[in-house]
Amino acid sequence: MPDSTVDRQFLGSIPEMYERYLVPLIFEPYGADLAERVRGRRLDRVLELAAGTGAVTRHLARCLPAACELVATDLQQPMLDQAASVAMSRPVQWRQADAMQLPFPDASFDAVLCQFGVMFFPDKRAAFAEARRVLRPGGVFLFNVWDAIEHNEFADTVTQALAHVFPADPPLFLARTPHGSHDTDALTVDLARAGFARAPEVETVTARSRAPSPNIPAVAYCQGTPLRNEIEARGEGRLVMATDAAMQAIARRFGRGPVDGKIQAHVFTVRNG
């Protein structure tokens, strides 16, 4: 198995490709969903973990009360730089931070949100404990995780296509990390051991991932995620070849015109006390 740090490296052109292709492809519907879950709550200060390029941040900026302070963090400064380059409807405090060692005082936020970042935390229990620590009593922690890869059709198709391209050593980033934390029971245990006394509410949310051509999801996954690191490690010129193989596989399964695939995730809501 590759060094787990490789799975968390969003370097070079990955942040820009991630924002251009992956955000509209799979993150937008879940970003809107997560932000809507805090709409109407009495909130003075909100923290976002693993904000990436700001997919949820933009939704939060539109739906939170005008006086609410919004702080968005990510471990990867290049992702925050990409996020900050996009105009927001309100001021946002962008801050580089490790979710497992948050640089904030105890009980300093009314809500903590994290979209598809939990899967990248090396120690989920530590990150959950930090989220609980910075939450005020009665505050809410919301996060989502992708379901198993077979419930996410484009990601599954790309992974299978690359297994044919590299049969001796298939790149398994998508199955291993983004889709590797779908066990809701295990996450519930981690939340309890992190100090959350209440059981979480867990909802499975299914949506559709649409693109004007098979090339878009192929580029999104192969070039806009750390899967790119795995592909490029297998030799010069392999990225173009792998992206083309992924595109052809998507075209065979979904057609050569506009494509439409299932995506599915679990959404957790847990109160602090």
Side-chain angles (χ1 to χ4, degrees):
M1 180 180 293
D3 183 342
S4 63
T5 59
V6 174
D7 286 2
R8 305 194 298 276
Q9 291 179 355
F10 290 78
L11 305 174
S13 64
I14 291 178
E16 191 273 333
M17 302 292 277
Y18 177 104
E19 172 64 23
R20 178 184 297 182
Y21 295 105
L22 205 64
V23 166
L25 185 71
I26 60 173
F27 291 141
E28 273 300 312
Y30 291 102
D33 172 80
L34 209 59
E36 281 297 316
R37 292 171 188 264
V38 296
R39 185 188 292 273
R41 296 176 184 265
R42 298 182 62 181
L43 302 170
D44 294 322
R45 201 162 186 242
V46 170
L47 173 66
E48 185 184 353
L49 306 177
T53 60
V56 175
T57 321
R58 291 188 285 273
H59 286 286
L60 289 171
R62 290 190 288 268
C63 78
L64 290 175
C68 182
E69 182 181 352
L70 177 55
V71 181
T73 67
D74 197 279
L75 182 63
Q76 302 290 335
Q77 187 62 46
M79 297 293 273
L80 291 177
D81 292 341
Q82 176 66 41
S85 72
V86 180
M88 292 282 175
S89 59
R90 70 161 70 207
V92 176
Q93 293 184 33
W94 302 105
R95 186 160 178 180
Q96 192 273 340
D98 185 340
M100 295 179 295
Q101 293 180 309
L102 293 172
F104 305 110
D106 295 357
S108 52
F109 293 94
D110 301 298
V112 176
L113 294 90
C114 182
Q115 163 139 289
F116 300 126
V118 165
M119 304 89 74
F120 292 88
F121 298 158
D123 188 337
K124 294 174 180 57
R125 194 179 307 173
F128 291 162
E130 279 292 272
R132 186 188 63 81
R133 180 184 66 78
V134 301
L135 272 174
R136 292 168 180 157
V140 63
F141 178 34
L142 296 103
F143 67 91
N144 49 23
V145 294
W146 291 116
D147 202 350
I149 196 166
E150 57 265 29
H151 297 295
N152 291 269
E153 293 177 332
F154 290 153
D156 192 32
T157 303
V158 169
T159 299
Q160 292 182 42
L162 297 187
H164 289 287
V165 176
F166 306 101
D169 186 20
L172 296 175
F173 164 76
L174 294 176
R176 179 177 63 247
T177 300
H179 296 278
S181 297
H182 55 83
D183 186 335
T184 57
D185 290 338
L187 291 168
T188 297
V189 169
D190 283 339
L191 285 165
R193 290 178 176 172
F196 283 98
R198 295 190 181 188
E201 297 176 11
V202 183
E203 181 181 354
T204 300
V205 178
T206 301
R208 305 301 299 180
S209 179
R210 298 182 175 91
S213 75
N215 187 56
I216 299 298
V219 171
Y221 284 109
C222 292
Q223 301 185 26
T225 76
L227 176 60
R228 179 175 186 153
N229 303 327
E230 276 197 283
I231 296 169
E232 291 184 322
R234 281 155 175 76
E236 185 176 352
R238 294 302 182 95
L239 182 62
V240 172
M241 180 181 68
T243 304
D244 183 68
M247 180 190 69
Q248 296 299 335
I250 292 168
R252 285 192 296 271
R253 183 172 176 182
F254 300 96
R256 296 193 174 274
V259 292
D260 184 324
K262 174 187 174 184
I263 46 178
Q264 188 162 289
H266 304 301
V267 183
F268 283 69
T269 304
V270 57
R271 287 194 172 275
N272 183 30

